[in-house]
Amino acid sequence: MTLPLTVGEYLAAAQTDRRLRRTTHHYISDMIDAMGPSRVFEGIYGMERQLADIVAYFKAYSMSMERRLLLLVGPQGSGKTMTVERLKRRLEEYSHTEPGLIMAVEGCPFHQHPLDLVPPDERERRGLYWHEEAVPCPICDRLIARYGWDRVPVRRIFISARDKVGIAKHTPTDLRREDITNFVGNINFALLRERGSTYDPDAYDFEGKIIWANRGILDWTEVFKSRRQLLSLLLELIQSKRIDLANFPSVHVDEVVIGHSNYPEYNVFLAEDIMEPLRGRIHKIDFPYNVDLEGEKRIYATLIQRANRVRGEAKHVPDDALELAARYALKTREESQGQRGLSPRFFEDAFSYAYTLAGPCLDLEALAEAIERTFQHQSIKDLNVKELLKQFEEAKAELINSKIDTIVEEIVPTHFYDYGQNLYLNYLDAATRHVSGAPLSDAEKELVDEVEGIMVQKRQISRQGRLAFENVLLERRDELRRMSYRENDHLRPVINEIVFNKIKNLLRLYEKSEELDQKSQELLDVLYQTAVEQRGYCPVCARSLFKIIGRSF
């Protein structure tokens, strides 16, 4: 496509090219469609509902959402800033692509849309919808007077925060110095001496964040810390899409304003009756801390991957370490549904410290030590370390129990099958001999008592019903001996537990291998090899896991 060179050519091309008649909301919506939400919000995990709400906000272009402040409300560190930064960065990338073509009036400090210069009756004659309030800026007025509206030159622009094109960010700092001129510029009194009139556009500095952000995104962090005078400006900006400049007519701007706030400041804003008009122009999306286990794990995995990439290292981090941190994070947040608790920043610090402690593998022991040490370096209001450490111990116990369940239910039946099947057959023989009145050896008596004791404990049989159960075994002895113990619904969980009890005793002595006999060492080696070869552990973190499980007993 040959790019139009004037507003007239642009207007003619816009009749058939939908890219040339997109509002800013429409443009960002197309960007999300072209790149896909997973690419746009890359690296943001566990916030699927919030991201879907943001996408829906932009999809509603040409409707009421074009006149709403998109407000992200949540605690510090919940991902608000990262989400907006991702949007801005992808917007910059998109503007360099063919689908992301965006053009503006050449020489306009507002980078005004060429259709802003087309007279309303001309747009209506061509059946072209555009903003009703669209008017040229003072510079564009002068260009129209010089060339005529249809011959004003246009050019392609590229969204760039660095070049102050389509992206600007405002963070309230010193409220005494925060002024409306930060947003809309001001009269340049040095040039005023040359020009002699405050009505001359050349005597005005068009340097302000609203001006820079036109055609893109104004990112307003901690929005409710700003002076109330500026919130009135914000209302005018999103309500009428115009701003007033000193001694000049109102100028049309088309930009998306994204505000950030935490809950205490947002609640103060809600309580102010004077802010009622602005409240009606807000589209709020709650951004609590993540409460999704897998999403939280991906946050930490990405952190380690980045550290390895930047440092040129290849430290391994087992899924256990990620799961422990994620379980703990969610435990501190669950009562408040993500509005309070330990933030991802706490765990970023903990993983950073664990990374320095770890050798080739950031294992459970290194992470547990790092988490406990990280509390010493936090500046958190009302920090109850004792309670938080108690929750950490609970999270560790939950993780260990889940690993024990995995060993009992998955690893034992698969990798200790021969051992379990031998126990099963020995029990069948001993139980049927016992009910027949034959004498048993001490080992056989111990096996029968252990199996049936577990069944009584699990309430599969009663203490008085042991003999009746053995009678059933005697009647079905040949059938049951041909069966794999894994097919026996009554005895399978019991045999698995007995095998695990043997493993448990071995794990207690894991760090003292010299005390193990050859058979016991072989069983332990099977467990270790299974963890390394099939469960994603390295030799370091496998040993760490078994040490921790052994100590828990």
Side-chain angles (χ1 to χ4, degrees), residues 229-242:
Q229 175 195 12
L230 294 179
L231 295 186
S232 298
L233 171 68
L234 173 61
L235 174 62
E236 183 67 15
L237 174 64
I238 60 178
Q239 178 175 263
S240 66
K241 289 192 172 292
R242 289 188 180 186

Side-chain angles (χ1 to χ4, degrees), residues 161-415:
R162 181 176 181 178
D163 297 332
K164 301 176 182 177
V165 178
I167 290 178
K169 183 173 184 176
H170 179 70
T171 302
T173 50
D174 185 351
L175 298 187
R176 292 170 299 179
R177 300 180 60 186
E178 190 183 37
D179 187 76
I180 195 170
T181 58
N182 298 141
F183 292 87
V184 299
N186 199 6
I187 295 170
N188 187 322
F189 290 97
L191 291 174
L192 182 60
R193 294 179 181 178
E194 299 176 15
R195 299 297 175 180
S197 172
T198 57
Y199 295 93
D200 190 328
D202 288 337
Y204 195 91
D205 275 336
F206 293 96
E207 294 291 324
K209 294 173 182 178
I210 289 177
I211 297 173
W212 302 336
N214 193 33
R215 311 293 301 281
I217 293 173
L218 174 59
D219 179 11
W220 199 324
T221 65
E222 301 182 58
V223 61
F224 299 124
K225 284 185 178 176
S226 290
R227 296 169 59 190
R228 292 309 181 245
Q229 175 195 12
L230 294 179
L231 295 186
S232 298
L233 171 68
L234 173 61
L235 174 62
E236 183 67 15
L237 174 64
I238 60 178
Q239 178 175 263
S240 66
K241 289 192 172 292
R242 289 188 180 186
I243 57 170
D244 293 323
L245 306 178
N247 295 335
F248 296 107
S250 296
V251 177
H252 173 244
V253 287
D254 181 22
E255 59 197 62
V256 173
V257 186
I258 305 179
H260 315 216
S261 181
N262 55 54
Y263 286 109
E265 290 171 2
Y266 175 68
N267 290 332
V268 170
F269 162 77
L270 288 181
E272 296 184 40
D273 292 339
I274 196 174
M275 289 290 105
E276 178 65 28
L278 181 57
R279 287 201 294 271
R281 293 285 181 177
I282 288 176
H283 184 73
K284 178 174 76 77
I285 297 177
D286 288 303
F287 251 75
Y289 290 136
N290 174 49
V291 291
D292 173 68
L293 184 69
E294 291 303 316
E296 194 74 8
K297 286 165 61 177
R298 292 183 70 186
I299 293 172
Y300 308 142
T302 302
L303 180 70
I304 301 301
Q305 290 166 6
R306 181 181 181 279
N308 280 337
R309 187 169 61 250
V310 172
R311 296 166 66 108
E313 299 186 40
K315 289 192 178 184
H316 176 249
V317 55
D319 189 72
D320 290 347
L322 303 175
E323 185 175 343
L324 174 60
R327 280 178 179 270
Y328 181 38
L330 269 58
K331 184 174 284 292
T332 69
R333 302 167 188 169
E334 61 186 358
E335 186 177 337
S336 65
Q337 297 182 323
Q339 294 190 19
R340 293 185 302 279
L342 291 175
S343 77
R345 293 174 185 169
F346 173 90
F347 292 97
E348 288 172 359
D349 291 354
F351 271 100
S352 298
Y353 185 55
Y355 196 96
T356 66
L357 292 177
C361 177
L362 197 162
D363 58 26
L364 280 172
E365 291 181 294
L367 178 63
E369 180 182 349
I371 285 176
E372 292 174 6
R373 291 278 295 274
T374 299
F375 282 110
Q376 301 172 18
H377 307 287
Q378 297 297 300
S379 301
I380 305 175
K381 184 181 179 182
D382 301 326
L383 182 65
N384 188 339
V385 176
K386 184 176 179 180
E387 177 61 26
L388 288 169
L389 288 176
K390 177 185 174 185
Q391 290 179 319
F392 183 47
E393 292 303 318
E394 292 172 355
K396 281 198 289 186
E398 290 172 3
L399 176 68
I400 291 169
N401 289 336
S402 73
K403 298 306 166 185
I404 290 173
D405 289 343
T406 299
I407 293 174
V408 172
E409 296 169 10
E410 298 179 25
I411 295 178
V412 166
T414 304
H415 299 282

Side-chain angles (χ1 to χ4, degrees), residues 127-139:
L128 191 66
Y129 166 79
W130 195 239
H131 295 287
E132 295 177 357
E133 56 278 286
V135 290
C137 76
I139 296 294

Side-chain angles (χ1 to χ4, degrees), residues 481-544:
R481 281 188 63 82
R482 290 193 298 270
M483 183 185 293
S484 165
Y485 91 89
R486 290 183 295 198
E487 298 171 351
N488 191 313
D489 292 338
H490 289 288
L491 290 175
R492 181 186 63 249
V494 178
I495 297 298
N496 284 343
E497 187 166 331
I498 292 173
V499 176
F500 175 70
N501 287 338
K502 174 66 174 176
I503 296 171
K504 182 167 69 174
N505 291 330
L506 298 179
L507 290 175
R508 287 194 182 110
L509 302 173
Y510 188 76
E511 298 179 73
K512 304 174 183 178
S513 57
E514 69 276 2
E515 298 183 13
L516 300 179
D517 56 46
Q518 182 178 353
K519 182 62 177 177
S520 297
Q521 187 63 53
E522 288 173 1
L523 289 174
L524 204 54
D525 288 344
V526 170
L527 188 65
Y528 176 77
Q529 290 168 5
T530 301
V532 172
E533 296 172 6
Q534 299 181 18
R535 298 280 167 167
Y537 293 86
C538 72
V540 175
C541 58
R543 293 187 186 280
S544 173

Side-chain angles (χ1 to χ4, degrees), residues 16-30:
T16 55
D17 190 341
R18 66 183 292 276
R19 295 176 303 169
L20 303 183
R21 51 181 193 271
R22 292 181 289 190
T23 64
T24 299
H25 265 74
H26 189 172
Y27 185 80
I28 297 176
S29 175
D30 280 1

Side-chain angles (χ1 to χ4, degrees), residues 398-436:
E398 290 172 3
L399 176 68
I400 291 169
N401 289 336
S402 73
K403 298 306 166 185
I404 290 173
D405 289 343
T406 299
I407 293 174
V408 172
E409 296 169 10
E410 298 179 25
I411 295 178
V412 166
T414 304
H415 299 282
F416 295 87
Y417 173 76
D418 291 342
Y419 188 81
Q421 183 69 9
N422 191 45
L423 280 174
Y424 169 71
L425 295 175
N426 288 344
Y427 167 70
L428 289 177
D429 290 343
T432 53
R433 288 178 61 208
H434 178 253
V435 76
S436 302

